[in-house]
Amino acid sequence: MRRRHHFHIEHAGHSVSATVQTGHTVVVEVLVDGKETGHGTTRDDHPVTVHVELPTDPPAQVALRATPGPGMPRCILEAPGAEDQVMSPRSY
């Protein structure tokens, strides 16, 4: 059965959101400031990393690591020079 899980974090003045759709094939969509900037797929409970760019000056590269399971999915934002940040789950 497929289910959608939503995550959000504010980083460097930008809104970063992720949707993890679980199932046999896991789909991860990443939005920065409301615009889709990256997506990735994986199988079963294998983690997937999606690299995106924040629209700063100069643009900053960050990565979102999604772990679909086992259990509830988790998302972590990885930025160079900063600690990894756990993204907050959203109910919508």
Side-chain angles (χ1 to χ4, degrees):
M1 185 168 104
R2 299 182 77 70
R3 187 165 175 211
R4 295 172 70 90
H5 301 268
H6 305 280
F7 300 88
H8 180 80
I9 195 166
E10 294 290 325
H11 181 75
H14 296 281
S15 170
V16 180
S17 301
T19 300
V20 178
Q21 184 171 320
T22 59
H24 184 64
T25 300
V26 176
V27 179
V28 179
E29 298 172 340
V30 181
L31 286 79
V32 175
D33 297 334
K35 298 177 183 173
E36 186 174 345
T37 57
H39 69 277
T41 60
T42 187
R43 292 247 183 233
D44 302 315
D45 288 337
H46 299 286
V48 61
T49 300
V50 180
H51 297 274
V52 296
E53 196 171 81
L54 297 179
T56 56
D57 188 21
Q61 295 286 325
V62 297
L64 182 129
R65 186 175 69 234
T67 306
M72 292 298 292
R74 297 171 301 287
C75 285
I76 296 175
L77 182 74
E78 302 171 333
E83 282 190 38
D84 293 353
Q85 300 176 47
V86 176
M87 296 178 69
S88 299
R90 298 288 190 224
S91 58
Y92 53 88

